[in-house]
Amino acid sequence: MGRRVVVVGAQWGDEGKGKIVDILTEYADCVVRYQGGNNAGHTVMVNGEKIILHLIPSGILHPGKTCVIGNGVVVDPATLLDEIEMLSRMGRFRHEDLLISKDAHLIMPYHKKLDAAKERLRGSQRIGTTGRGIGPAYEDKVSRCGIKCGDILNEEDFRGKLKINLHEKNQYIAAILHEKGYEVHDIYHDYMNYAQKIGRYITDTSLFLSGAIKKEKSILFEGAQGTLLDVDHGTYPYVTSSNTVAGEAATGSGIGPTVIDTVVGVTKAYTTRVGEGPFPTELEEKEEAKLREMGGEYGATTGRPRRCGWLDSVALRYSARINGLDGLVLTKLDVLDALPEIKICTSYRYNGSDVREFPTEPRILEKCKPVYETVEGWMAPTHGIKDIEGLPGKAKSYIKRIEELTGVGIFIVSVGAERKEAIFVKNPFA
C-alpha cells in the first residue's frame, strides 16, 4: 500500500533535506518538489561525488523514479536546462523521469532585474534575497499577470501575455531604475527556444499524481527552504516568497491534504540561518566561525557563509506545531563530535519574562535572549555508526533531550554527508 510523505525544513532552511530526500527516494515511486525556485539548493553526496540541485527534485539521482516539479514552484528555464545538462553529463538523467506542471510559473528576465533593484533600493532594510527573481515571479502570480510553463507551448498566448507585461515592467524599469527595458522579440525568441527543449516535460502533473495515488504509489513531497522562512508563518519580512510549510505540499502539488500520511521535519543538531533577520541563538564571531568551518556552512546556491548558533528548541517546537510533525530527522550530529559541551536553547527572556512560544515578529525576536541548558559533549566519533544503540551514550542523551523539548520523536539521525551515513530509527514509508 502506497504512502505519501512530506519532508519539510524545520528551521531556517539548509537543514540537509536534499540528502534525506535522496535516502527516502528508495522507498518512493514519485518525488514532488512543491514550492520555491532556484533560490534554494539541495546538496547530495553520492559515492564521494557532490551534486547540487536547485530545481529538479533530489529523487532524480535514482533511475526510474518519477520526479515532478509542481505548480507551486517558480521555474527559471535556463537554470533548469543547466541542471539537465549537468545531470546528463554525469549519466544521471533520463527524460522519462521528469515532469513539470503546466501551471508552474516562469521566472522572466525582468523578474531578476526587479529583484536585484528592489533589494538595492531597500538599503539597510534589505531582506537578503538571492536576486534570482523568485519574489517578483510570485508577485506576478498573485497579481494575476504571471506566465505559466504551459503558456510557452502556445506561441500566440505567450507573446500576448509577454507584450502586456513588458508594457508595465518597462515603464517601471525606466522611471524608477533609469535603465533600458526589454524588447518583446528578444524574450520571445529565448523562451520559444526554451519551449523546444523543455516542452516534452510539461504536463498536468496534478492529474498524474491523482492517478499515482489511485494506483497506491508511494509519493515523497520535497520542500525547499525551511519553516521559519515561510511567507505567512516565518519571521516576516525576512522570509522567502512562498509557503515552505507542510501544508503547501497539497496546494503546490495539486493534491488533497487528506492523502498525506506522514510529515517529517528536518533539523540540524544546531541551527543556521542565511540572509538578514533575527537569530536568537547566533554565536559570537569566533565561536560562529569555528562551527561554520566544522559544519562546512556555506550556501549551496550562493556560497554565502551561513550564520551559526546552538539548537533552538523554541523555534523547533513552533515548527512542529505549524507543520504537524510526525517525526524529526536530525542531521549533522557528527559536526558536534569534538565539542566538550553543547548548549540547547530551551526558552527566551524578553522584557524580563520567560518566553516559551516562538514570536514571529522581528521587533520582538531580535530582543529575545536565549536561555540555555548545557549538556556534556560525547567527544567521540559518530561518523559511520549504523544503529542508534551504537552511538555514544551522551549523544543518545542529546537526542533524547531534543525529543523531550519538542515532543516529537526522532526518525533518522544523519552522521555524515554520504547516503549510507544515516541511522534509521523509524522509516516514514514503513
Side-chain angles (χ1 to χ4, degrees), residues 119-138:
E119 188 75 338
R120 188 169 65 247
L121 291 170
R122 289 186 185 106
S124 62
Q125 301 300 311
R126 64 186 182 278
I127 295 169
T129 75
T130 58
R132 284 165 167 74
I134 280 77
Y138 277 116

mmCIF file of all heavy atoms in Angstrom, residues 119-138:
data_model
loop_
_atom_site.group_PDB
_atom_site.id
_atom_site.type_symbol
_atom_site.label_atom_id
_atom_site.label_comp_id
_atom_site.label_asym_id
_atom_site.label_seq_id
_atom_site.Cartn_x
_atom_site.Cartn_y
_atom_site.Cartn_z
ATOM 1 N N GLU A 119 15.989 45.104 -3.905
ATOM 2 C CA GLU A 119 16.876 44.856 -2.766
ATOM 3 C C GLU A 119 17.842 46.025 -2.584
ATOM 4 O O GLU A 119 18.133 46.456 -1.471
ATOM 5 C CB GLU A 119 17.633 43.538 -2.994
ATOM 6 C CG GLU A 119 18.438 43.070 -1.816
ATOM 7 C CD GLU A 119 17.608 42.466 -0.685
ATOM 8 O OE1 GLU A 119 16.396 42.751 -0.598
ATOM 9 O OE2 GLU A 119 18.176 41.729 0.129
ATOM 10 N N ARG A 120 18.318 46.543 -3.701
ATOM 11 C CA ARG A 120 19.242 47.691 -3.658
ATOM 12 C C ARG A 120 18.546 48.927 -3.098
ATOM 13 O O ARG A 120 19.104 49.657 -2.272
ATOM 14 C CB ARG A 120 19.764 47.967 -5.066
ATOM 15 C CG ARG A 120 20.882 49.003 -5.146
ATOM 16 C CD ARG A 120 21.517 49.022 -6.522
ATOM 17 N NE ARG A 120 20.599 49.463 -7.565
ATOM 18 C CZ ARG A 120 20.152 48.694 -8.542
ATOM 19 N NH1 ARG A 120 20.514 47.415 -8.597
ATOM 20 N NH2 ARG A 120 19.325 49.167 -9.461
ATOM 21 N N LEU A 121 17.292 49.118 -3.493
ATOM 22 C CA LEU A 121 16.541 50.285 -3.032
ATOM 23 C C LEU A 121 16.177 50.205 -1.547
ATOM 24 O O LEU A 121 15.964 51.224 -0.902
ATOM 25 C CB LEU A 121 15.267 50.453 -3.874
ATOM 26 C CG LEU A 121 15.475 50.863 -5.346
ATOM 27 C CD1 LEU A 121 14.168 50.756 -6.110
ATOM 28 C CD2 LEU A 121 16.049 52.268 -5.441
ATOM 29 N N ARG A 122 16.132 48.987 -1.005
ATOM 30 C CA ARG A 122 15.811 48.838 0.423
ATOM 31 C C ARG A 122 16.942 49.319 1.324
ATOM 32 O O ARG A 122 16.723 49.630 2.493
ATOM 33 C CB ARG A 122 15.505 47.364 0.737
ATOM 34 C CG ARG A 122 14.196 46.868 0.166
ATOM 35 C CD ARG A 122 13.900 45.444 0.641
ATOM 36 N NE ARG A 122 12.694 44.916 0.007
ATOM 37 C CZ ARG A 122 12.695 44.012 -0.958
ATOM 38 N NH1 ARG A 122 13.847 43.518 -1.407
ATOM 39 N NH2 ARG A 122 11.565 43.583 -1.477
ATOM 40 N N GLY A 123 18.151 49.353 0.791
ATOM 41 C CA GLY A 123 19.289 49.827 1.575
ATOM 42 C C GLY A 123 19.509 49.006 2.827
ATOM 43 O O GLY A 123 19.615 47.779 2.768
ATOM 44 N N SER A 124 19.540 49.656 3.961
ATOM 45 C CA SER A 124 19.794 48.966 5.229
ATOM 46 C C SER A 124 18.646 48.042 5.629
ATOM 47 O O SER A 124 18.801 47.201 6.513
ATOM 48 C CB SER A 124 20.039 49.989 6.351
ATOM 49 O OG SER A 124 18.898 50.797 6.542
ATOM 50 N N GLN A 125 17.493 48.196 4.992
ATOM 51 C CA GLN A 125 16.335 47.348 5.294
ATOM 52 C C GLN A 125 16.238 46.154 4.345
ATOM 53 O O GLN A 125 15.198 45.518 4.239
ATOM 54 C CB GLN A 125 15.040 48.181 5.193
ATOM 55 C CG GLN A 125 14.992 49.368 6.128
ATOM 56 C CD GLN A 125 15.087 48.954 7.589
ATOM 57 O OE1 GLN A 125 14.388 48.070 8.035
ATOM 58 N NE2 GLN A 125 15.993 49.597 8.337
ATOM 59 N N ARG A 126 17.343 45.841 3.669
ATOM 60 C CA ARG A 126 17.320 44.738 2.705
ATOM 61 C C ARG A 126 16.966 43.415 3.396
ATOM 62 O O ARG A 126 17.245 43.215 4.573
ATOM 63 C CB ARG A 126 18.665 44.614 1.991
ATOM 64 C CG ARG A 126 19.831 44.242 2.892
ATOM 65 C CD ARG A 126 21.152 44.295 2.129
ATOM 66 N NE ARG A 126 22.268 43.895 2.972
ATOM 67 C CZ ARG A 126 22.886 44.680 3.839
ATOM 68 N NH1 ARG A 126 22.488 45.938 3.988
ATOM 69 N NH2 ARG A 126 23.900 44.226 4.558
ATOM 70 N N ILE A 127 16.396 42.529 2.629
ATOM 71 C CA ILE A 127 15.926 41.246 3.148
ATOM 72 C C ILE A 127 17.008 40.178 3.050
ATOM 73 O O ILE A 127 17.079 39.266 3.859
ATOM 74 C CB ILE A 127 14.659 40.806 2.389
ATOM 75 C CG1 ILE A 127 13.514 41.800 2.672
ATOM 76 C CG2 ILE A 127 14.226 39.399 2.773
ATOM 77 C CD1 ILE A 127 12.320 41.609 1.773
ATOM 78 N N GLY A 128 17.859 40.291 2.028
ATOM 79 C CA GLY A 128 18.893 39.284 1.812
ATOM 80 C C GLY A 128 18.474 38.254 0.774
ATOM 81 O O GLY A 128 18.772 37.073 0.892
ATOM 82 N N THR A 129 17.772 38.698 -0.281
ATOM 83 C CA THR A 129 17.341 37.761 -1.327
ATOM 84 C C THR A 129 18.544 37.337 -2.164
ATOM 85 O O THR A 129 19.601 37.968 -2.134
ATOM 86 C CB THR A 129 16.298 38.401 -2.261
ATOM 87 O OG1 THR A 129 16.953 39.320 -3.150
ATOM 88 C CG2 THR A 129 15.227 39.127 -1.480
ATOM 89 N N THR A 130 18.355 36.287 -2.936
ATOM 90 C CA THR A 130 19.426 35.796 -3.805
ATOM 91 C C THR A 130 19.478 36.562 -5.129
ATOM 92 O O THR A 130 20.404 36.365 -5.914
ATOM 93 C CB THR A 130 19.218 34.306 -4.122
ATOM 94 O OG1 THR A 130 17.951 34.138 -4.749
ATOM 95 C CG2 THR A 130 19.290 33.470 -2.849
ATOM 96 N N GLY A 131 18.465 37.388 -5.395
ATOM 97 C CA GLY A 131 18.454 38.164 -6.632
ATOM 98 C C GLY A 131 18.120 37.349 -7.869
ATOM 99 O O GLY A 131 18.386 37.773 -8.995
ATOM 100 N N ARG A 132 17.506 36.203 -7.681
ATOM 101 C CA ARG A 132 17.227 35.316 -8.812
ATOM 102 C C ARG A 132 15.814 35.473 -9.375
ATOM 103 O O ARG A 132 15.363 34.672 -10.181
ATOM 104 C CB ARG A 132 17.480 33.863 -8.411
ATOM 105 C CG ARG A 132 18.970 33.535 -8.357
ATOM 106 C CD ARG A 132 19.243 32.238 -7.624
ATOM 107 N NE ARG A 132 20.602 31.778 -7.833
ATOM 108 C CZ ARG A 132 21.691 32.319 -7.281
ATOM 109 N NH1 ARG A 132 21.565 33.361 -6.472
ATOM 110 N NH2 ARG A 132 22.893 31.848 -7.527
ATOM 111 N N GLY A 133 15.082 36.479 -8.917
ATOM 112 C CA GLY A 133 13.772 36.769 -9.495
ATOM 113 C C GLY A 133 12.614 36.020 -8.887
ATOM 114 O O GLY A 133 11.479 36.120 -9.371
ATOM 115 N N ILE A 134 12.864 35.301 -7.811
ATOM 116 C CA ILE A 134 11.807 34.466 -7.220
ATOM 117 C C ILE A 134 10.659 35.321 -6.677
ATOM 118 O O ILE A 134 9.490 35.079 -6.986
ATOM 119 C CB ILE A 134 12.382 33.541 -6.123
ATOM 120 C CG1 ILE A 134 13.049 32.322 -6.737
ATOM 121 C CG2 ILE A 134 11.288 33.036 -5.187
ATOM 122 C CD1 ILE A 134 14.403 32.534 -7.318
ATOM 123 N N GLY A 135 10.986 36.324 -5.857
ATOM 124 C CA GLY A 135 9.958 37.190 -5.277
ATOM 125 C C GLY A 135 9.084 37.868 -6.321
ATOM 126 O O GLY A 135 7.849 37.763 -6.276
ATOM 127 N N PRO A 136 9.682 38.579 -7.299
ATOM 128 C CA PRO A 136 8.863 39.212 -8.337
ATOM 129 C C PRO A 136 8.035 38.228 -9.160
ATOM 130 O O PRO A 136 6.945 38.560 -9.615
ATOM 131 C CB PRO A 136 9.912 39.917 -9.211
ATOM 132 C CG PRO A 136 11.016 40.250 -8.252
ATOM 133 C CD PRO A 136 11.077 39.060 -7.335
ATOM 134 N N ALA A 137 8.528 37.006 -9.341
ATOM 135 C CA ALA A 137 7.739 35.998 -10.070
ATOM 136 C C ALA A 137 6.494 35.626 -9.280
ATOM 137 O O ALA A 137 5.394 35.507 -9.840
ATOM 138 C CB ALA A 137 8.580 34.756 -10.352
ATOM 139 N N TYR A 138 6.656 35.449 -7.965
ATOM 140 C CA TYR A 138 5.488 35.168 -7.123
ATOM 141 C C TYR A 138 4.569 36.391 -7.044
ATOM 142 O O TYR A 138 3.341 36.245 -6.934
ATOM 143 C CB TYR A 138 5.926 34.743 -5.726
ATOM 144 C CG TYR A 138 6.293 33.279 -5.605
ATOM 145 C CD1 TYR A 138 7.583 32.879 -5.291
ATOM 146 C CD2 TYR A 138 5.326 32.291 -5.799
ATOM 147 C CE1 TYR A 138 7.917 31.534 -5.173
ATOM 148 C CE2 TYR A 138 5.650 30.942 -5.692
ATOM 149 C CZ TYR A 138 6.948 30.575 -5.378
ATOM 150 O OH TYR A 138 7.262 29.235 -5.271
#
